[in-house]
Amino acid sequence: MKKIFLFTGFAVALSLSAVAQKNADAVKFSESINKKRGYDHLSILASDEYEGRETGKKGAWMAAEYIKKQFQSFGLKGPVKDSADPYFQKLGYASLSLSKSVFSVNGQAKESLKDYYITPASVSSTGYDVKASSILFAGYGLNKEGFNEYEGQDVAGKVVMIFATGDPTATAPAPQTGGRRAMSSVGSQQAKIKYLLDNKAAGVLVINANVDNMDPRLKNALQNGNPYLKTADRIKNMSSAQGLPVVVIGTAVANQLLATVNTNLDDIKKKITDSKKPATVVINVPVAFSAKSVETDVRAENVLGFLEGSDPKLKNEILVLTSHYDHIGLVADPNAKDKVNNGADDDGSGTTGVLLMAEAFAKAKKAGKGPKRSILFMTVVGEEKGLLGSEWYSEHPVFPVENTIADLNTDMIGRIGEEYLGKPDSANYVYSVGSFKLSTELGKLSEQMNDTYTKMKLDYKYDDPKDTQQIYYRSDHYNFAKLGIPVIFFYDGMLEQDYHRPGDEVNKINFDLLAKRAHLTFYTAWELANRANRPVVDKNADGTPKTK
């Protein structure tokens, strides 16, 4: 066992020593990766005309068409079979919206998105129609040992009202988890609703103060439908969420109901907290709510450009270069002066990097110096919605997963992050995320390319398992890593200044730095596409060494 690992390490050292000298061809064809060409692309992709490139909207469709035309102009092929357009991998993406939403208290109709809201994903196309002569108020909806707010109660066939969050018996706040998807988790609320579903409640009113002053982004999302990816798991989860009618109500409606039993939200919370005892009570006020949803397919596509390798023995192996071309669209606030979230850095910069590299590799092939392995240049959509485009590709790969040797992902490579502002090396660094997670060899190769060509500081901060931002899980490379494919995510670390705001504009991009980071990605890709062997995967998904 030790001899095997020693030999592998020696082989890696030999292969890396062979690339210590600059490759003249790589240097020559990298010249088109420059700040002028970068500006040419990004000034279009991040313009106001593209309206923030939100998935499923006009701006994203415009960006997809632009990227496709660039791939065509370079001479890349569209590799998607059985598609109306071989450059587009159409996602199974749809939007759910409410075709009906009614809620009344004691015969008085309430206003949607002001007094209450119903999430489209919680309603099936057949809908529901709930009527009850009374409500069971069960506080926080807890049913644990020593504090059971349903003790002595049969919730079957009843409408139950509970607080959205909180546990007056908790000794410490629940730990926070990172990652894009974890951020949207309903946590304990999901368990509370599941209890009511399992016990055949008729419906639930969830008290949430956020309804009172609704975030414009939430309001916009509820008005314009709830988009989702039609994977088997998501459809299954959605079906299970549609099992119990849920109405989210504001404090005004809740207090109206509680007033009939001579209390209010503040008093009832204080009473429960002080006594550490449930305050479950029946409210004899009739309520009625009904809803139906309708599903509409939404256009969304990954854009793929393919460069076939020159070596008959290696061209079936695929290197993937990714970025996401979508952003978050227009500002929801109608009073905003700047209404476009341009997404110049996030991730117009990474998409620009992919276009620059695609052009450079295509020029190399035309000159008879093309890569031995094939390269798939893929700009994905739906990253801002939860890594949807890369998830779809991971479940519907155009090329076999076992033939995919690595993914190099550029997501935000055009600016200087907060930690480097004002520092001497502020314009000469990049965060390298995940490069050693699955393959020691890939990480060392990237370091060798940097030492040979670009000489930037490679910052591995976000590889720390204790990273509170959980950056490793928050871009499209992760959907390749989940499949055991080695990855590197190049990133500038901008998390505060203009992040997901209209201020993320082209005039704030450092194009010299964008080009330099794209150069590092290009040289790493050049070596991966031309070396004798693909990078060895010597680690498990959790970073522990593989054993033979």
Side-chain angles (χ1 to χ4, degrees):
M1 185 68 73
K2 288 184 179 179
K3 288 183 179 179
I4 290 174
F5 282 114
L6 284 172
F7 177 76
T8 301
F10 181 62
V12 169
L14 280 177
S15 67
L16 292 177
S17 67
V19 299
Q21 299 299 315
K22 289 184 178 180
N23 183 296
D25 289 330
V27 172
K28 175 182 176 181
F29 293 107
S30 73
E31 290 175 0
S32 61
I33 302 174
N34 58 61
K35 64 180 182 180
K36 180 184 180 304
R37 290 294 289 143
Y39 180 82
D40 290 343
H41 291 306
L42 190 54
S43 61
I44 294 172
L45 289 169
S47 65
D48 284 356
E49 184 183 4
Y50 279 53
E51 298 182 350
R53 309 186 306 277
E54 183 176 359
T55 299
K57 301 289 180 66
K58 169 189 169 185
W61 304 335
M62 292 174 68
E65 292 288 348
Y66 176 83
I67 295 164
K68 167 192 154 182
K69 288 178 180 177
Q70 295 304 308
F71 284 166
Q72 288 176 316
S73 72
F74 303 154
L76 303 183
K77 302 300 182 184
V80 185
K81 297 178 182 178
D82 302 321
S83 171
D85 190 322
Y87 290 91
F88 288 164
Q89 182 188 40
K90 179 176 170 52
L91 274 61
Y93 191 61
S95 177
L96 277 179
S97 57
L98 294 177
S99 58
K100 179 181 181 182
S101 175
V102 177
F103 174 54
S104 65
V105 175
N106 202 18
Q108 178 188 2
K110 298 300 180 182
E111 185 177 343
S112 178
L113 304 183
K114 178 182 177 182
D115 301 313
Y116 77 98
Y117 70 80
I118 297 172
T119 304
S122 70
V123 184
S124 69
S125 58
T126 56
Y128 57 72
D129 190 358
V130 178
K131 294 180 181 178
S133 59
S134 63
I135 301 165
L136 177 68
F137 172 65
Y140 293 89
L142 300 174
N143 63 315
K144 60 184 184 179
E145 186 177 352
F147 194 85
N148 184 357
E149 293 179 285
Y150 298 111
E151 187 172 357
Q153 299 290 338
D154 180 5
V155 302
K158 296 179 181 177
V159 171
V160 180
M161 184 169 73
I162 58 174
F163 294 122
T165 59
D167 180 352
T169 69
T171 56
Q176 298 296 311
T177 57
R180 283 191 195 267
R181 296 186 187 175
M183 290 175 184
S184 63
S185 172
V186 295
S188 62
Q189 181 177 314
Q190 189 175 33
K192 295 175 185 180
I193 291 175
K194 185 178 184 303
Y195 171 85
L196 294 172
L197 176 64
D198 291 345
N199 287 275
K200 299 179 171 39
V204 57
L205 307 180
V206 177
I207 306 167
N208 191 330
N210 291 333
V211 176
D212 304 337
N213 295 291
M214 192 173 295
D215 187 311
R217 292 169 296 180
L218 173 59
K219 190 171 186 177
N220 183 61
L222 291 167
Q223 285 175 323
N224 293 298
N226 183 66
Y228 73 101
L229 197 64
K230 293 194 283 189
T231 62
D233 283 347
R234 287 175 186 265
I235 291 172
K236 180 180 177 181
N237 291 338
M238 190 174 294
S239 296
S240 65
Q242 292 170 349
L244 180 67
V246 177
V247 180
V248 182
I249 63 173
T251 60
V253 174
N255 277 323
Q256 178 187 350
L257 291 166
L258 289 170
T260 64
V261 288
N262 301 313
T263 189
N264 58 54
L265 289 172
D266 292 337
D267 289 348
I268 200 75
K269 284 183 177 181
K270 185 176 187 305
K271 179 180 178 181
I272 296 173
T273 301
D274 290 348
S275 67
K276 294 295 189 290
K277 292 180 180 179
T280 303
V281 63
V282 174
I283 299 173
N284 290 309
V285 175
V287 293
F289 42 99
S290 57
K292 285 185 179 180
S293 69
V294 59
E295 179 184 282
T296 306
D297 285 336
V298 178
R299 175 186 166 184
E301 59 262 319
N302 297 327
V303 190
L304 283 65
F306 181 66
L307 190 71
E308 186 176 38
S310 61
D311 189 324
K313 294 182 179 179
L314 295 178
K315 68 180 183 179
N316 286 332
E317 294 186 351
I318 312 295
L319 169 65
V320 184
L321 303 184
T322 54
S323 66
H324 72 90
Y325 69 86
D326 67 302
H327 193 53
I328 62 172
L330 298 173
V331 175
D333 184 358
N335 298 316
K337 292 182 179 179
D338 187 348
K339 298 185 183 303
V340 181
N341 292 296
N342 299 84
D345 192 35
D346 185 13
D347 181 33
S349 64
T351 299
T352 294
V354 169
L355 290 173
L356 294 175
M357 291 185 284
E359 184 177 18
F361 273 110
K363 285 182 175 180
K365 183 170 182 177
K366 289 176 183 176
K369 301 292 184 179
K372 295 178 181 179
R373 289 183 176 83
S374 298
I375 303 179
L376 175 63
F377 301 91
M378 181 165 65
T379 61
V380 300
V381 73
E383 192 269 359
E384 300 291 0
K385 305 290 186 182
L387 314 186
L388 301 187
S390 54
E391 179 182 352
W392 188 261
Y393 183 87
S394 73
E395 295 189 7
H396 305 84
V398 173
F399 298 99
V401 168
E402 59 270 21
N403 291 358
T404 304
I405 68 162
D407 171 56
L408 305 182
N409 182 43
T410 48
D411 187 352
M412 301 173 63
I413 59 169
R415 290 184 62 172
I416 297 170
E418 289 79 17
E419 286 194 76
Y420 281 87
L421 283 173
K423 291 187 177 181
D425 54 357
S426 62
N428 197 43
Y429 81 96
V430 67
Y431 289 101
S432 178
V433 185
S435 55
F436 285 92
K437 287 279 190 181
L438 294 171
S439 172
T440 303
E441 188 174 358
L442 178 60
K444 292 192 176 199
L445 184 150
S446 177
E447 288 184 340
Q448 181 70 64
M449 294 301 98
N450 183 55
D451 290 343
T452 303
Y453 296 99
T454 47
K455 302 187 187 304
M456 284 190 290
K457 177 182 177 181
L458 300 183
D459 194 323
Y460 297 105
K461 169 185 174 178
Y462 294 113
D463 280 344
D464 185 345
K466 297 179 181 178
D467 168 32
T468 57
Q469 299 291 339
Q470 296 288 282
I471 294 296
Y472 175 66
Y473 304 96
R474 290 175 56 183
S475 192
D476 295 294
H477 63 282
Y478 181 63
N479 279 318
F480 288 88
K482 287 195 305 184
L483 300 175
I485 297 169
V487 301
I488 304 178
F489 165 27
F490 294 109
Y491 170 54
D492 61 24
M494 191 189 77
L495 278 171
E496 296 176 14
Q497 47 174 335
D498 301 322
Y499 178 69
H500 283 192
R501 297 186 183 98
D504 186 6
E505 299 265 16
V506 174
N507 61 12
K508 296 181 181 177
I509 296 295
N510 184 325
F511 283 97
D512 284 315
L513 187 53
L514 186 159
K516 192 168 190 178
R517 289 162 173 165
H519 273 128
L520 173 59
T521 314
F522 172 79
Y523 289 126
T524 304
W526 184 282
E527 176 62 18
L528 285 168
N530 287 293
R531 69 203 305 260
N533 300 307
R534 62 194 289 173
V536 174
V537 178
D538 60 348
K539 295 180 182 178
N540 299 305
D542 62 0
T544 57
K546 282 183 175 288
T547 57
K548 294 187 178 180

